Amino acid sequence: MNRRISCLAAIGLMLFCSRTWAELVVEITKGQSDAIPIAIVPFSSPEAAAASFDVAQLVSDDLARSGRFKSTDRRDMIEQPHTGAGISFDDWRRLNNDYIVVGQVQPLGQDRFNITFELYNILNHQRLLGYQISANKPGLRLASHQVADMVFEKILGIRGAFATRVAYISVLGSLPHKDYRLIVADADGENPHVVMQSGEPLMSPAWSPDGQSLAYVSFENRLPSVYVQTLKTGERQRVSARAGVNQAPAWSPDGKKLALTLSTRDGNLDIYVLDLTTQALTRITDDPGIDTEPQWSKDGQSLYFTSDRAGGPQIYRIGTQSGDKPRRLTFQGSYNARPRLSPDESQLAFVTQEDGGYRIATMDLRGRGDVQVLTKGHFDVSPSYAPNGAEIIYASRDRGRGVLALVSADGRVQERLVSSEGELQEPAWAPF
Amino acid sequence: MKRIFAVALMMAGAALLSGCPKKHNVIETPNAGSQVSGANQGDDASASGRALSGDAGTQGNGMGGDATGPLARKVIYFDFDKSEIKPEFADIVSAHARNLTSHPGFKMKLEGNTDERGTREYNIGLGERRAQAVRRALMLQGVAESQLTTVSFGAERPAAEGDDETAWAKNRRVELVYGP
Amino acid sequence: MRDFLREHRWAVVVSVLLHGLLVAGLVVATLNPHRTPPPVQPLPIDATVVDSQVLHAAQRAQSDQEAARARAAADAQAAAAAKAAEEARAAEEAKAAEQAKAAEQAKEAEQAKEAEEAKAAEQAKEAEQANEAEQAKAAAQAKAAEHAKADAARAAAAEQQRLIDARKAADAKQAAEARQAAEAKQAADAKRAADERARADREAELRKQLADEEHRSAVESGPLRDSYIARLRNKIQSVWIKPPSASVGLDCLVEVTQIPGGEVTGARVTQCNGDAAARQSIENAVYRASPLPDPPDPALFERNFVFRFKPNE
């Protein structure tokens, strides 16, 4: 009986104490745009040095290039575990790492390898990922990009786009004999392949939705024509060589049509839709101004385009059904051109003129149409979204040379791409 | 077959849209050139005379033997974001117009160009606009439509490299190229 | 001796077993320390302390109640366990005493048997000296008598066994009844305890309201508290790496547990409308901020509090 009373008294006392504690809620309204510190520990690899491929280095470079991660320098790694069991979490925490990736590359016999890796959260010791990928020697690069994709997606909740490709135009030589090349490379700039070469200008590469073909403009007959080239076979098809202008091909989302810019005899540029199967041509705009640079909406029912019918170039949207009137979208500034739609249609990227320079800007399509200028250069043009919508690749000029650069869709991060020789322009990011 | 039909339709449509007056102009000018019509007679005669003398050493491609005359100059330059032909280039236009009208067999390609600023595809449009301005000017002076074609290279074939006004000024141009 | 053992086999076995059990029971009882019920320690408060302006008031009251209930149940269980242990021991001891008695009785029976057998042997010897025929007869008689006695002894042993069994059954019944009674008692006690605690709760409520006001005026409305909150906020904001998905519209709560010195021992994301990346970044931010800054006044230290992540950009 005594014991019971003392129990109750203790409980009563405890309740009494808990309720006298102050009620404390701290509101957090800001954060940092810092890169997340992550350690990609060199993977263990077989002794035969020729077979080993530095998976960790590629993953580390990919994540760092996205601007959202800060990869720990190898010289600062106090230990190099290859499995979760070997990680001394407190040590890594003390060196301010939030995440760690460990792994191994093991030979699987004749020219085949197994990449095993794990991702851990150092702060709560939680294992987030554990995967095994097998690849042959030439496929190790792609497999490493896929590792980077998985780590990226696990931590940021956005699908990674490291294992994708980009197309761009490279111009070599000097006037009057220039060499124009259409190149397809990995998203990190490595592995460039020349897909088409010409002594006359090449322009406007555009990926088909299935990533198998490229449409582009070629002046190879000293007249512009639109070609569609199948990458695997190299087979080319000339799809539009009408008198006058044939420019700015844009694939419909179902891959069956191309929106194009054609001109009348009097040089009036307008937008048309060409059905690739039936060759039927439908006129979309009919205006004395320059109407060009068409882009499809995801449902294939509308086209975004540039038009200077109001004086200077601005961005408009029109339905592909006949009789639809175009609606103007940009009202800030006197030059807004080359619209590109983000993959989820939440945003429109375009080129805007500001302070005498040309910059990449985005317009929020879901809210009030807020415009944000993302870059600060003088010649930032030709934006193209990554298929995950997180980044935009564009063409810029650096000390008189044409280069390719990246900016995150929210403008927080800017990166320069490894540039190969020549003037680089008009990048187009392939779909997934 | 279908394509030719479509193109013909387009051209007919374009012709309709471009307005009748121009058509009349096209019809009128050869008349003006060939008929003796009062006040203009003297001018025409002297003009054609000049053209003829200028063409004395002409080759099939229309190159004038006069190396310093307006016929030797085949590039017209433009101001930024403009497609109007400045007065200082009027004589080039006239010279070539006369050359073409007196050689109905001659053909000329008008190649429009811009400087590198702005987006590439829109620049194609601007280059075309400049080429068209020269085309109209020539047609106004009697050149037959069939003798002229326009092509725009936009910013793709600069005449001068550089990220400054000196280079840009040299790139904003229409080149008059004789040949089929 | 060996004859004796052979003839009274079962009795011997039973007596050995009973002796063994008795000894074992005594040994075990002495080796086990007297188990005391665990002392009722003040448990670290698991209840969330939240500002009444926030929607957590109801949740907190509920969790307090649950904690109190859990504590009550734990105490009741401990008391019941102790009681049951006592009862069981008492039953064991009674059983052991009974078994000892039965064993003694069996021993006495055996001793009686021995005396009788000695006597029988003597009588047989005297009968032999008298007459051969009588010896035979006497031997036969003696043998018969022995048999009869053996039977009697066996019967007696059986009787003893039956008695022991009967007693065992009686003990078992008693133990079961005792257990039932104990359980019934426990239920009644628990209910009584709960009622008493409810009363104590209500008293505590009133007491708390009074003490609250006192405490509040002493520390809470002061600039020191504001400064502490600001320190916490700045620390978190300087280490929270916001993923792209954590934008305006995110509203997430994290319950944080810290020990004096600021080291974070627990961070739990509760109500949150963000995706996995946002939640992970929030949890990480709390750990990255560890150790949290000290309050300017030690009285302001809170073991448990809440961060509310609500970005405005």
Side-chain angles (χ1 to χ4, degrees):
Chain A
M1 191 59 202
N2 276 344
R3 205 186 307 130
R4 199 172 303 140
I5 287 175
S6 63
C7 281
L8 290 174
I11 289 156
L13 195 65
M14 286 186 293
L15 293 173
F16 177 92
C17 288
S18 76
R19 266 152 215 187
T20 56
W21 285 11
E23 300 150 333
L24 179 54
V25 175
V26 181
E27 237 188 54
I28 308 297
T29 54
K30 279 194 242 296
Q32 302 298 320
S33 319
D34 288 352
I36 297 171
I38 187 170
I40 317 289
V41 180
F43 288 20
S44 75
S45 58
E47 286 307 313
S52 67
F53 176 86
D54 201 341
V55 175
Q57 188 62 57
L58 195 147
V59 173
S60 172
D61 290 344
D62 275 351
L63 293 174
R65 197 178 60 251
S66 75
R68 301 190 193 269
F69 289 90
K70 186 167 45 185
S71 291
T72 306
D73 193 311
R74 286 182 179 189
R75 291 165 298 184
D76 296 337
M77 293 184 184
I78 27 128
E79 53 170 16
Q80 295 204 349
H82 301 303
T83 60
I87 300 175
S88 316
F89 287 100
D90 290 338
D91 288 340
W92 289 96
R93 180 73 212 109
R94 230 167 280 129
L95 297 173
N96 285 321
N97 292 290
D98 282 6
Y99 296 92
I100 184 170
V101 174
V102 295
Q104 306 152 54
V105 176
Q106 289 141 340
L108 270 187
Q110 195 67 7
D111 204 38
R112 219 171 157 76
F113 301 90
N114 235 359
I115 300 176
T116 315
F117 76 96
E118 293 173 285
L119 167 68
Y120 283 84
N121 180 333
I122 290 176
L123 295 161
N124 62 11
H125 301 206
Q126 203 191 345
R127 182 178 189 258
L128 298 175
L129 279 180
Y131 267 102
Q132 205 172 65
I133 308 177
S134 84
N136 57 12
K137 191 138 174 239
L140 281 174
R141 247 197 123 74
L142 177 63
S144 305
H145 284 308
Q146 287 168 340
V147 172
D149 276 344
M150 284 190 261
V151 172
F152 186 91
E153 182 168 4
K154 191 68 190 177
I155 296 174
L156 293 177
I158 307 170
R159 187 171 170 186
F162 299 115
T164 52
R165 295 164 301 168
V166 292
Y168 56 90
I169 308 287
S170 159
V171 183
L172 293 155
S174 48
L175 302 162
H177 303 293
K178 285 198 171 190
D179 180 34
Y180 301 84
R181 292 176 189 183
L182 173 57
I183 294 180
V184 171
D186 293 348
D188 62 356
E190 296 289 327
N191 257 341
H193 284 88
V194 177
V195 154
M196 163 68 185
Q197 201 167 336
S198 172
E200 299 294 334
L202 295 169
M203 285 180 77
S204 310
W207 287 92
S208 63
D210 63 4
Q212 304 292 314
S213 311
L214 277 170
Y216 56 89
V217 176
S218 168
F219 282 82
E220 60 201 62
N221 302 312
R222 300 226 57 168
L223 290 170
S225 306
V226 175
Y227 287 82
V228 169
Q229 181 166 337
T230 309
L231 290 179
K232 220 174 271 186
T233 61
E235 192 188 310
R236 293 172 84 210
Q237 199 198 352
R238 198 168 70 172
V239 298
S240 183
R242 292 161 169 83
V245 169
N246 295 269
Q247 294 282 355
W251 293 84
S252 64
D254 64 2
K256 299 200 178 126
K257 306 194 197 106
L258 280 178
L260 293 172
T261 300
L262 302 174
S263 68
T264 61
R265 181 82 186 208
D266 292 334
N268 179 20
L269 269 69
D270 280 305
I271 292 172
Y272 297 73
V273 169
L274 173 69
D275 187 313
L276 288 170
T277 355
T278 66
Q279 296 300 309
L281 194 68
T282 311
R283 186 170 189 163
I284 303 294
T285 67
D286 188 355
D287 181 273
I290 296 172
D291 297 327
T292 183
E293 295 170 341
Q295 275 288 284
W296 294 80
S297 64
K298 252 170 81 169
D299 61 5
Q301 301 296 313
S302 313
L303 285 167
Y304 295 83
F305 63 98
T306 307
S307 174
D308 67 359
R309 57 186 66 197
Q314 300 289 345
I315 295 176
Y316 293 75
R317 179 182 160 135
I318 190 173
T320 50
Q321 311 312 314
S322 64
D324 205 57
K325 292 276 173 292
R327 197 165 58 89
R328 179 169 164 176
L329 299 179
T330 53
F331 294 91
Q332 258 172 274
S334 56
Y335 192 115
N336 295 292
R338 207 187 183 276
R340 284 294 185 266
L341 202 54
S342 69
D344 64 359
E345 292 192 304
S346 66
Q347 224 183 36
L348 192 71
F350 56 98
V351 178
T352 191
Q353 192 181 38
E354 192 188 58
D355 296 338
Y358 297 88
R359 299 183 174 155
I360 309 296
T362 55
M363 173 184 283
D364 176 16
L365 290 179
R366 293 212 175 130
R368 299 161 307 193
D370 289 346
V371 171
Q372 187 192 357
V373 180
L374 301 184
T375 65
K376 295 187 184 53
H378 281 100
F379 298 103
D380 299 335
V381 294
S382 304
S384 174
Y385 276 96
N388 65 359
E391 284 185 291
I392 296 169
I393 191 173
Y394 63 98
S396 184
R397 291 191 76 78
D398 180 30
R399 281 165 287 220
R401 264 191 69 213
V403 296
L404 300 182
L406 293 167
V407 64
S408 59
D410 56 12
R412 287 202 304 195
V413 181
Q414 309 222 358
E415 299 280 327
R416 182 69 28 88
L417 264 190
V418 171
S419 43
S420 43
E421 51 170 0
E423 305 279 322
L424 304 186
Q425 55 205 44
E426 296 205 87
W429 210 314
F432 275 127
Chain B
M1 190 59 209
K2 223 179 177 179
R3 192 185 287 178
I4 298 170
F5 186 61
V7 171
L9 254 183
M10 271 172 47
M11 289 177 56
L16 280 169
L17 284 166
S18 63
C20 297
K22 290 219 182 113
K23 264 247 154 89
H24 289 171
N25 282 343
V26 170
I27 296 168
E28 266 180 281
T29 0
N31 290 341
S34 53
Q35 279 175 8
V36 173
S37 53
N40 286 340
Q41 188 178 357
D43 284 345
D44 283 343
S46 51
S48 54
R50 238 182 286 138
L52 278 168
S53 61
D55 280 345
T58 301
Q59 305 297 314
N61 63 5
M63 290 279 283
D66 181 358
T68 56
L71 217 47
R73 286 153 52 209
K74 299 212 190 74
V75 188
I76 298 171
Y77 294 96
F78 293 81
D79 285 342
F80 179 57
D81 209 25
K82 296 267 184 292
S83 49
E84 284 86 31
I85 301 172
K86 294 192 280 188
E88 60 254 46
F89 298 102
D91 57 343
I92 301 180
V93 174
S94 306
H96 287 283
R98 279 191 293 274
N99 196 21
L100 285 166
T101 51
S102 47
H103 298 89
F106 286 177
K107 295 223 188 295
M108 175 181 272
K109 213 179 336 175
L110 301 166
E111 294 180 352
N113 294 272
T114 67
D115 66 32
E116 65 186 354
R117 291 176 285 178
T119 68
R120 289 185 185 271
E121 290 287 358
Y122 182 68
N123 282 338
I124 293 282
L126 290 178
E128 179 69 22
R129 208 175 252 165
R130 285 174 182 149
Q132 286 289 331
V134 176
R135 175 173 169 269
R136 275 195 299 277
L138 289 169
M139 278 163 60
L140 268 170
Q141 298 194 25
V143 181
E145 200 177 341
S146 55
Q147 289 179 276
L148 302 169
T149 46
T150 58
V151 70
S152 169
F153 287 100
E156 306 303 304
R157 299 189 79 251
E161 306 273 26
D163 286 343
D164 50 27
E165 180 55 30
T166 332
W168 295 337
K170 293 209 189 87
N171 292 328
R172 295 190 296 266
R173 72 201 190 280
V174 169
E175 292 194 13
L176 284 65
V177 179
Y178 283 94
Chain C
M1 187 63 193
R2 233 170 265 132
D3 291 335
F4 170 76
L5 286 171
R6 224 180 299 133
E7 286 180 359
H8 307 277
R9 210 176 303 144
W10 279 114
V12 170
V13 168
V14 168
S15 90
V16 168
L17 267 173
L18 287 174
H19 278 89
L21 274 171
L22 182 65
V23 170
L26 288 168
V27 167
V28 165
T30 49
L31 280 182
N32 264 0
H34 185 65
R35 282 176 290 146
T36 50
V40 177
Q41 298 159 349
L43 301 165
I45 307 293
D46 228 26
T48 308
V49 187
V50 167
D51 191 11
S52 59
Q53 283 150 20
V54 178
L55 340 132
H56 263 233
Q59 221 190 38
R60 192 249 320 205
Q62 211 191 37
S63 64
D64 274 349
Q65 264 185 33
E66 281 175 336
R69 234 176 282 137
R71 257 175 265 131
D75 291 338
Q77 257 184 31
K83 209 151 288 156
E86 277 181 20
E87 311 276 356
R89 215 173 300 116
E92 259 187 53
E93 281 170 11
K95 212 202 293 183
E98 294 292 348
Q99 285 171 2
K101 229 193 276 173
E104 273 182 23
Q105 284 174 355
K107 217 203 265 174
E108 283 173 32
E110 281 170 24
Q111 282 174 359
K113 261 179 261 150
E114 267 181 40
E116 283 181 343
E117 281 162 18
K119 231 194 266 175
E122 280 178 13
Q123 282 176 9
K125 260 198 210 128
E126 287 173 15
E128 265 188 68
Q129 288 170 1
N131 215 337
E132 274 186 13
E134 277 180 358
Q135 269 184 18
K137 244 198 232 161
Q141 270 178 14
K143 248 202 215 129
E146 281 180 21
H147 282 304
K149 269 161 219 145
D151 286 340
R154 246 176 273 136
E159 267 293 319
Q160 295 300 326
Q161 187 57 38
R162 248 176 275 132
L163 269 170
I164 291 163
D165 285 343
R167 271 201 202 91
K168 258 203 217 144
D171 289 344
K173 208 157 128 208
Q174 259 179 33
E177 282 171 16
R179 236 177 289 131
Q180 275 174 14
E183 279 170 20
K185 244 172 151 194
Q186 276 165 38
D189 286 342
K191 186 167 179 299
R192 226 179 303 136
D195 289 340
E196 286 175 16
R197 254 179 299 265
R199 218 186 322 127
D201 273 358
R202 266 170 268 138
E203 287 178 28
E205 252 323 308
L206 293 164
R207 252 176 280 143
K208 163 247 171 186
Q209 274 167 20
L210 287 168
D212 247 348
E213 285 163 37
E214 279 180 42
H215 193 92
R216 227 174 273 264
S217 54
V219 181
E220 291 182 23
S221 58
L224 286 178
R225 185 171 186 264
D226 293 339
S227 143
Y228 182 42
I229 290 179
R231 276 193 219 178
L232 289 169
R233 185 189 306 127
N234 288 338
K235 188 75 192 282
I236 292 283
Q237 289 186 168
S238 72
V239 299
W240 179 34
I241 296 180
K242 266 201 306 166
S245 57
S247 54
V248 180
L250 184 77
D251 195 347
C252 292
L253 298 169
V254 196
E255 297 178 352
V256 181
T257 307
Q258 63 169 337
I259 58 177
E263 187 185 325
V264 171
T265 55
R268 196 164 69 97
V269 178
T270 57
Q271 285 186 339
C272 183
N273 64 357
D275 63 6
R279 284 165 186 257
Q280 174 119 229
S281 76
I282 284 168
E283 198 189 307
N284 284 0
V286 174
Y287 281 113
R288 291 177 102 228
S290 176
L292 296 170
D294 290 327
D297 184 317
L300 287 166
F301 180 81
E302 310 263 357
R303 269 179 208 277
N304 299 282
F305 61 94
V306 172
F307 279 118
R308 184 175 188 185
F309 285 77
K310 211 168 170 232
N312 56 13
E313 62 184 8

